[in-house]
Amino acid sequence: IATLFSILMYVSYLPQIMNNLAGVKGNPLQPLCAMINSSLWVAYGLIKEKKDWPVVTANLPGIFLGLAAFLTAL
């Protein structure tokens, strides 16, 4: 359940990305922090001896969607 809600949290960036592309720019700081946070969690999940796939799966969308929201907000 936590993995599902983590993915939904990052998918919620899609409206912000669409608004950014339409010219209604949002604040880039929060998606940048989300992208960094997601990257660190994915790295943690992958470097463990026994890979933590739920952590990786839950945070992988945050890297790409956080980055997209950040870049389009600039």
Side-chain angles (χ1 to χ4, degrees):
I1 291 171
T3 299
L4 174 66
F5 275 94
S6 180
I7 291 169
L8 289 174
M9 177 178 62
Y10 295 122
V11 168
S12 71
Y13 278 123
L14 290 175
Q16 180 181 348
I17 293 167
M18 291 187 309
N19 284 341
N20 290 342
L21 292 172
V24 182
K25 301 293 185 183
N27 186 334
L29 182 60
Q30 201 280 334
L32 175 65
C33 291
M35 183 209 54
I36 293 168
N37 179 57
S38 296
S39 299
L40 293 171
W41 278 112
V42 167
Y44 168 78
L46 292 174
I47 64 171
K48 290 180 68 175
E49 186 174 325
K50 184 177 181 224
K51 307 279 187 254
D52 196 339
W53 292 112
V55 170
V56 172
T57 302
N59 288 284
L60 198 57
I63 296 172
F64 300 106
L65 294 170
L67 180 62
F70 170 73
L71 292 175
T72 60
L74 296 178

